[in-house]
Amino acid sequence: MAAAAVRALLRPARARAPARFLLPPAPPSAGARHCAAGSQFQYIMVQKKGTKQNIGVIQLNRPKALNALCDGLMNEMKVALDLFENDPQVGAIVITGNEKAFAAGADIKEMQNSTFQECYRSNFLAGWNRVSTVRKPVIAAVNGYALGGGCELAMMCDIIYAGEKAQFGQPEILLGTIPGSGGTQRLTRAVGKSLAMEMVLTGDRISAQEAKEAGLVSKIFPVEKLLEEAISCGEKIAGNSKLVVAIAKEAVNAAFETTLSEGNKTEKRLFYATFATDDRKEGMTAFVEKRKANFKDH
């Protein structure tokens, strides 16, 4: 989305969030655009971080367009996610933007002249769902604007951490359309029908504090501490068995797809499955022996 088009949507937020924002962080080192496998990206920066270099970090990098989600960016995102998914060292993934914008929406210029036939034939936006199908935990570290596709991207993640000045919204109605990548579905499940309906039908935004109170956001941090805290959360997760973490994630996600009865059955099956793992045996043995577990992800 062109910066001018994005800013046209950014009328004063209902929560009266401050109008001033910090400048984007300084450009990272030359190697920051490269992933573990050595690939180079144009729209994102990919690194491993954490004390054990076991947290994959994907930073959206279209600052002049407020990190608008163009096709190129989302294609690169899929490549980076696949690389981290297949990297045995990585235990969790963090997706972030800069201090002004996580992502201010989809790139409207790319879809402005699209027709129904083109959208239907190409299954438009279907590839965006890759974020929600990664088996490793994904944490969204949201500073600034998370609007439209940016809000949908955050909601595809497993955990959302927000900076104090973050703003969330689904303003597609102001463009004569509706959310197309899970906004009406995930937002309703996260915050309830009334607030979701209000946000979708008016295009109004909510502040980080409102998002936390509504259940959309897990925790709020100072802007400059957000990424550090998201990586710290990822390190806690990565310290557990990666195999069992994936099983636990599957169990929690089942709550959004099934009835309570079926969800409980799924949980039981997955719980029983952990007894086929070496890590379950190691974890319980370590507890009984009063020592730290040494998980092997097996």
Side-chain angles (χ1 to χ4, degrees), residues 46 94 117 121 132 204 248:
V46 179
V94 174
Q117 291 86 348
R121 278 198 299 264
S132 66
D204 283 350

Side-chain angles (χ1 to χ4, degrees), residues 73-121:
L73 187 152
M74 295 308 295
N75 287 335
E76 290 183 0
M77 174 88 71
K78 180 181 182 300
V79 172
L81 288 169
D82 288 346
L83 288 167
F84 284 144
E85 180 86 297
N86 295 314
D87 186 336
Q89 183 183 16
V90 172
I93 301 167
V94 174
I95 298 177
T96 191
N98 56 43
E99 292 180 353
K100 189 170 184 177
F102 176 72
D107 195 320
I108 301 304
K109 283 188 174 180
E110 285 191 344
M111 66 178 73
Q112 179 182 3
N113 297 315
S114 296
T115 66
F116 162 76
Q117 291 86 348
E118 291 169 344
C119 291
Y120 191 82
R121 278 198 299 264

Side-chain angles (χ1 to χ4, degrees), residues 132 158 189 245-271:
S132 66
D158 301 304
R189 286 166 168 78
V245 163
I247 292 173
K249 173 176 172 173
E250 181 180 347
V252 173
N253 281 335
F256 290 91
E257 306 292 341
T258 62
T259 63
L260 177 60
S261 175
E262 287 303 313
N264 280 330
K265 291 177 183 177
T266 297
E267 180 187 80
K268 283 290 190 296
R269 287 194 294 268
L270 293 172
F271 169 65

Side-chain angles (χ1 to χ4, degrees), residues 97 123 157 166 204 208 244 253 271-272 276:
N123 202 11
C157 300
D204 283 350
V244 179
N253 281 335
F271 169 65
Y272 298 155

Side-chain angles (χ1 to χ4, degrees), residues 40-57:
Q40 191 167 7
F41 300 100
Q42 179 180 357
Y43 301 111
I44 62 176
M45 293 183 289
V46 179
Q47 292 177 295
K48 287 184 184 179
K49 292 193 175 183
T51 56
K52 296 182 179 180
Q53 295 289 290
N54 59 353
I55 307 303
V57 177

